[in-house]
Amino acid sequence: MPALLYPEIEKSQKKPEVAKMSNKTVELIAPLSGLFVPIEAVPDPVFSQKMVGDGVSIDPTSNVLLAPAAGKITQLASTFHALTLTTTDGLQILLHIGLDTVMLKGQGFRPLVKEGDVVALGQPLVEFDEAVITAAGKSSMTEIVIANGDIVTNLQAARGFAHAGKTVALTVTMTGDFAAAETAAAPAGNLSDAIRVPNPTGLHARPAAVVANAAKTFKSDIKLVRGSEEANAKSVVSIMGLEVQNNDEIRVKATGVDAAEAIKALVDLIRSGSGEDCGAAAAPAAAPKPVAVPRPAPKAHSDDPNVLLGVSASPGLAVGQIFQVRQEVIEVREAGDNPQLERRRLEDALKEARQQLEGLKSEISDASKAEIFSAHQELLADPELLDLALSAISAGKSAPFAWKQAFTAYADKLSKLKNELLAGRANDIRDVGRRVLRLLTGVKEAALEVPDNAILIAEELTPSDTASLDRNKVLGFATTGGGATSHVAILARSLNIPAICGIEEAVLELANGTNVILDGTKGSLRKNPSEAEIQDIRTRQATLAKKREEELAAAGQPAVTKDGVHIEVVANIGGLEDAQQSVTLGGEGVGLLRSEFLYLERTDAPTEEEQTKIYGDIAKALGTERTLVIRTLDVGGDKPLPYLPMPAEENPFLGVRGIRLCLAAPEILRTQVRGILRAAPYSKLHIMFPMIASLEEVREAKKIVAEEKAALGVTADVKVGIMVEVPSTAVMSEIFAREVDFFSIGTNDLTQYTLAMDRGHPKLAKQADALHPGVLRLIAMTVKGAHAHGKWVGVCGGIASDPLAVPVLLGIGVDELSVSVPAIPAIKAMVRKLNKADCQKLATEVLQMGTVAEVRARLSGLVD
């Protein structure tokens, strides 16, 4: 931008000739001419959210980057678009030319210095060609960021127009001598009290990722301490390597400007389960003695020579022929070229691997399964893994050799851990490691030529292998490694592929083409089956397949009982892909959009614009003839948000969650309501509030909706309803029905609150049964109260998808069943086989029973 456009700014701007420094305050001079832009306004979240550090940006009119202070070039990117200058006072200044300009791979940049050079204030550092940058569609906006913000107590960024080498860009107040600060011991106050880890399987990959992501939001150096061992809290791999088990005592140690805040946030997060549903196990009053998680027991061995045993990884039956899968060996050269060139090769491979993983995530409709590849993306940015590889490169090794050495060492370290779950994550590191290694070496992944009716056999399959299996040819698989908790097993279940893990090694000796029966449910592989055995399995499979085909063929037909009563069958969804799939499977709308998917796994709240687009896209996918019920944010102590600090709770299920949390943070609720309301023109929009326990909560929430609706000028008839998850709401349903338009019963929570049993408790989960007569009576009470005022009732909990429960729910009078997307055709088909009058008689009978066993015995004969 020409300076003459800003004459008044030019006149008022301070223009010192030299930098003025002291051991407390440093003035950094603008390295370029141009317009100052606040760092928060940079259109790149890495900078605008200050993930790298605080500072300022310049939209440049000059093209030679000058040193903003005297110091030493301690880092120069191999693509020359970024460098770090460390001043004599220890201030680390990151200078980053352009946005996403690493993609130019050095084109358009000419370095005028090298790493290790000592430079003077105003000395030219890098010359760049703005025409090349803009021709590639990149911005030349340049950032000046303080990378070691832990020694900074105050930072003032300039505004107006910058003159290179003259105008002060940043005024930084420091704590004092940085070198001393680096080596000083952490104050005693920077170590937390002991925390007992509530997670049943300890800090495995998912909670480790949650902790690491939260830690990365702080500038301080943060460690997790267990006994004499420490782990980098910002590294997923490092945390997993600490092998923290259930009930282990750990502490949080932090050193830096925000150490106290970091310790408090991570202590609260760990106590609450680090994003996992640990229920009452969180923060126990008197924890039992820690129990070590044993290594897997020796593999089971069958007395039948034709049967090999393993662990059930994914249920189901498959009859096919053995096909052995062998992993190729990738050769690497040890000696490297110039270290800068090798680092650049590694950066490029990591970037491409992230893009590949993003593509894999988009191919998996189940968001919880796609998170596996999000975890792989986290591993690509793991600081300790990268440090290990970069150290080897600096020592003269090639990028492929350094990377292979780094990920292999980490995988081997994890595989030796006592905790089976953590040991299983070594496979994930090898998977993502080999992905990058193939990119570094140019070795194309060999296409797996699988024959028809294949049962794959391997020592290990990776999550990437599993996600890309051809379901038309692969009927099942068995591996000698892994277990039921591995990511491969999770993916197999999501893809409905029968699978066995940890099977006897003798399976590797079976010849290709050998006939076998794989029973994923029992964890057994039968070789040399008789023709009668094969025929029996195939008959059972054919019967089930024919039934599924008939259900799919009739999926578009309405769910109307034999005596003419229409039951609306809709979907529980977690995003746009689920909504689109539900339409193709005959879904008549959405009975529950879990909006939490927008809020979790991120460090900041979703904006109103983000929410507006996503809700609008989902509504458009459904169309104006279908209902869309959006549940407002349902998180709390059991599902913490890193950007909404909450104190640890003894029992998060009885704490601040659902509507309680949203009313305590009304701006989050108002932002969400505005985003939801803008979807009103595209479908039959309904807003539903979770965890309602009192009329006051309903009235306050309704008031917010009314105010935002009026402010936006929305005139559509947007229905407002509540979740029935608390017994008091069911008991008062007739009163609540005067205030709301509809009810949706969340049977999972209603069951645990009614029976006082945590549905995730390992010993009580089976008893927390939604078909308990007490729960069924509360459902009946809710329906009666709603119908007295002409309001409809849906069920969106787990029993809506259970064929065993459907007849009694219809008999009680439920108007809507909101089910998992794949279950839509089957549930609609079942409704069409029922007679509402018969169901009513059945419900009357069942509601008089006293035990779950009696209820289940009565209902089991009704389902084929």
Side-chain angles (χ1 to χ4, degrees):
M1 298 180 183
L4 58 88
L5 293 179
Y6 303 92
E8 70 286 355
I9 296 174
E10 183 179 357
K11 290 176 182 177
S12 64
Q13 185 66 57
K14 182 179 179 182
K15 305 176 185 177
E17 293 299 322
V18 294
K20 300 175 181 176
M21 295 186 183
S22 72
N23 64 343
K24 289 295 181 182
T25 301
V26 177
E27 291 181 335
L28 303 179
I29 307 307
L32 293 166
S33 296
L35 185 67
F36 283 118
V37 177
I39 199 73
E40 297 84 357
V42 174
D44 185 330
V46 171
F47 293 108
S48 63
Q49 295 174 18
K50 302 181 182 179
M51 296 180 187
V52 180
D54 203 354
V56 71
S57 182
I58 295 176
D59 194 354
T61 59
S62 60
N63 70 330
V64 177
L65 186 75
L66 306 181
K72 184 177 181 179
I73 305 299
T74 50
Q75 186 272 334
L76 177 64
S78 59
T79 49
F80 313 125
H81 73 291
L83 59 85
T84 301
L85 170 69
T86 301
T87 70
T88 54
D89 294 295
L91 203 61
Q92 295 175 353
I93 309 162
L94 171 66
L95 301 170
H96 193 284
I97 305 170
L99 301 178
D100 206 25
T101 42
V102 66
M103 301 297 291
L104 298 178
K105 300 182 178 180
Q107 186 180 3
F109 296 91
R110 185 169 71 91
L112 306 175
V113 291
K114 62 183 184 297
E115 278 189 21
D117 282 357
V118 176
V119 299
L121 169 68
Q123 181 175 331
L125 305 177
V126 178
E127 182 180 1
F128 59 94
D129 189 335
E130 186 167 8
V132 173
I133 295 174
T134 55
K138 310 298 180 185
S139 167
S140 59
M141 191 176 288
T142 297
E143 290 67 47
I144 306 100
V145 174
I146 306 303
N148 56 339
D150 55 321
I151 68 167
V152 174
T153 57
N154 187 47
L155 182 148
Q156 293 181 336
R159 296 183 180 274
F161 197 83
H163 288 273
K166 297 180 179 180
T167 307
V168 173
L170 293 173
T171 302
V172 183
T173 304
M174 302 167 59
T175 56
D177 180 58
F178 175 58
E182 263 194 324
T183 56
N190 285 0
L191 184 66
S192 76
D193 293 333
I195 319 154
R196 285 200 182 273
V197 174
N199 305 67
T201 48
L203 295 183
H204 62 93
R206 186 162 297 159
V210 170
V211 171
N213 281 332
K216 289 173 186 175
T217 64
F218 296 96
K219 297 176 181 177
S220 295
D221 177 61
I222 310 172
K223 306 287 186 185
L224 297 188
V225 182
R226 192 188 68 165
S228 60
E229 298 177 284
E230 291 187 357
N232 182 351
K234 299 179 182 181
S235 165
V236 178
V237 172
S238 185
I239 294 173
M240 290 194 296
L242 198 59
E243 202 174 0
V244 178
Q245 301 168 5
N246 173 247
N247 271 329
D248 274 0
E249 278 193 354
I250 63 172
R251 299 172 188 266
V252 180
K253 182 171 75 174
T255 306
V257 67
D258 53 3
E261 295 89 338
I263 288 175
K264 182 181 185 305
L266 290 194
V267 166
D268 289 346
L269 184 61
I270 294 167
R271 277 182 177 154
S272 68
S274 307
E276 282 198 322
D277 190 352
C278 300
K289 184 179 179 181
V291 179
V293 179
R295 292 286 291 173
K299 293 180 179 180
H301 179 75
S302 172
D303 294 331
D304 186 335
N306 285 319
V307 175
L308 299 174
L309 297 180
V311 177
S312 171
S314 180
L317 288 166
V319 178
Q321 291 80 46
I322 291 291
F323 181 75
Q324 298 280 354
V325 178
R326 312 292 186 196
Q327 194 175 72
E328 85 272 31
V329 176
I330 301 176
E331 300 293 341
V332 297
R333 174 173 56 91
E334 181 173 354
D337 296 322
N338 181 288
Q340 289 186 357
L341 180 59
E342 297 294 345
R343 278 197 296 269
R344 176 177 169 180
R345 287 170 177 163
L346 180 58
E347 288 171 5
D348 290 346
L350 292 169
K351 179 84 170 178
E352 189 170 347
R354 288 189 191 95
Q355 293 170 345
Q356 289 182 356
L357 289 167
E358 196 64 37
L360 272 175
K361 285 164 57 180
S362 67
E363 295 170 9
I364 299 176
S365 59
D366 188 330
S368 64
K369 307 305 181 295
E371 285 176 10
I372 291 170
F373 295 109
S374 294
H376 282 201
Q377 289 176 315
E378 286 290 332
L379 288 173
L380 291 174
D382 191 277
E384 296 211 355
L385 185 59
L386 293 177
D387 284 349
L388 200 59
L390 292 173
S391 296
I393 288 174
S394 297
K397 308 299 182 186
S398 71
F401 181 89
W403 177 254
K404 185 178 183 180
Q405 186 180 56
F407 82 76
T408 301
Y410 258 110
D412 290 346
K413 179 181 177 181
L414 283 186
S415 66
K416 293 184 175 82
L417 297 180
K418 295 177 182 179
N419 186 313
E420 180 183 359
L421 188 65
L422 297 180
R425 295 302 176 254
N427 193 24
D428 292 276
I429 292 178
R430 292 191 188 102
D431 186 8
V432 74
R434 288 178 64 83
R435 178 181 296 280
V436 175
L437 190 59
R438 282 193 296 269
L439 293 169
L440 282 168
T441 56
V443 173
K444 299 293 182 184
E445 187 174 10
L448 194 60
E449 297 296 334
V450 178
D452 292 335
N453 303 317
I455 303 293
L456 301 187
I457 304 296
E459 291 184 9
E460 276 189 334
L461 288 176
T462 66
S464 300
D465 295 331
T466 310
S468 59
L469 291 178
D470 183 348
R471 289 294 287 115
N472 294 319
K473 294 183 175 182
V474 178
L475 305 182
F477 67 81
T479 62
T480 58
T485 58
S486 70
H487 281 158
V488 167
I490 293 169
L491 281 170
R493 291 192 288 271
S494 75
L495 296 169
N496 199 29
I497 300 176
I500 302 170
C501 289
I503 198 167
E504 298 171 64
E505 278 79 3
V507 75
L508 299 173
E509 299 171 8
L510 296 180
N512 284 346
T514 303
N515 285 327
V516 293
I517 297 175
L518 185 149
D519 189 332
T521 306
K522 295 180 180 179
S524 67
L525 185 81
R526 175 173 286 278
K527 55 184 178 179
N528 305 316
S530 68
E531 190 58 40
E533 289 173 318
I534 292 175
Q535 190 56 48
D536 178 58
I537 295 295
R538 286 181 173 160
T539 299
R540 288 160 57 188
Q541 289 177 322
T543 301
L544 290 173
K546 182 179 178 183
K547 182 182 177 185
R548 283 195 293 268
E549 286 176 7
E550 291 171 349
E551 290 168 351
L552 283 170
Q557 299 176 18
V560 179
T561 64
K562 289 181 178 180
D563 48 354
V565 178
H566 176 236
I567 302 299
E568 198 168 12
V569 179
V570 293
N572 294 334
I573 69 169
L576 177 59
E577 288 187 9
D578 286 348
Q580 293 167 332
Q581 187 184 8
S582 75
V583 172
T584 65
L585 292 178
E588 298 173 88
V590 166
L592 171 63
L593 168 58
R594 301 182 183 94
S595 62
E596 297 78 58
F597 80 97
L598 276 164
Y599 293 82
L600 300 174
E601 305 300 328
R602 55 188 296 162
T603 57
D604 59 344
T607 65
E608 187 175 329
E609 291 72 21
E610 285 180 86
Q611 298 191 61
T612 296
K613 183 179 188 314
I614 290 172
Y615 300 141
D617 287 346
I618 292 172
K620 290 171 187 175
L622 297 175
T624 55
E625 298 304 312
R626 291 185 179 87
T627 298
L628 170 58
V629 179
I630 301 178
R631 181 178 68 188
T632 57
L633 180 62
D634 186 15
V635 296
D638 61 322
K639 289 180 277 186
L641 301 175
Y643 49 86
L644 189 62
M646 294 182 61
E649 297 180 308
E650 283 290 327
N651 190 339
F653 289 105
L654 300 180
V656 182
R657 59 176 299 202
I659 194 64
R660 299 168 188 170
L661 173 65
C662 289
L663 292 178
E667 274 313 306
I668 284 185
L669 179 58
R670 286 184 179 275
T671 299
Q672 182 175 29
V673 167
R674 289 193 296 271
I676 293 172
L677 287 171
R678 288 194 172 96
Y682 310 117
S683 69
K684 295 179 181 177
L685 184 64
H686 293 54
I687 298 177
M688 180 164 67
F689 298 108
M691 284 297 295
I692 292 291
S694 70
L695 282 174
E696 291 85 353
E697 291 169 339
V698 172
R699 288 167 180 165
E700 191 173 347
K702 283 175 61 181
K703 181 183 176 185
I704 289 174
V705 172
E707 289 172 352
E708 297 302 336
K709 190 176 178 183
L712 293 175
V714 174
T715 58
D717 183 18
V718 179
K719 303 295 185 183
V720 175
I722 61 173
M723 293 278 288
V724 178
E725 303 165 281
V726 180
S728 64
T729 307
V731 171
M732 294 177 60
S733 60
E734 195 273 333
I735 297 173
F736 276 101
R738 302 170 190 168
E739 303 272 346
V740 300
D741 297 313
F742 67 94
F743 294 139
S744 187
I745 302 173
T747 52
N748 300 342
D749 271 327
L750 182 61
T751 300
Q752 77 169 351
Y753 291 129
T754 301
L755 303 182
M757 290 182 182
D758 177 2
R759 54 190 169 96
H761 194 287
K763 294 184 178 179
L764 299 177
K766 290 184 179 179
Q767 298 178 52
D769 194 326
L771 287 175
H772 188 287
V775 178
L776 294 177
R777 282 178 174 245
L778 287 174
I779 294 173
M781 193 177 295
T782 302
V783 171
K784 182 179 179 182
H787 287 181
H789 292 274
K791 307 298 172 64
W792 62 267
V793 179
V795 173
C796 62
I799 65 169
S801 302
D802 184 354
L804 201 67
V806 170
V808 73
L809 292 177
L810 266 60
I812 286 172
V814 167
D815 306 289
E816 176 214 71
L817 297 173
S818 191
V819 305
S820 64
V821 174
I824 292 171
I827 296 301
K828 291 182 77 174
M830 183 168 193
V831 170
R832 289 192 288 267
K833 294 178 182 178
L834 298 173
N835 184 297
K836 178 66 179 288
D838 292 340
C839 291
Q840 288 172 326
K841 293 176 184 177
L842 174 70
T844 301
E845 180 184 347
V846 166
L847 289 173
Q848 299 306 311
M849 294 178 176
T851 68
V852 173
E854 291 173 332
V855 172
R856 286 194 169 274
R858 178 66 182 90
L859 298 178
S860 60
L862 303 174
V863 180
D864 53 21

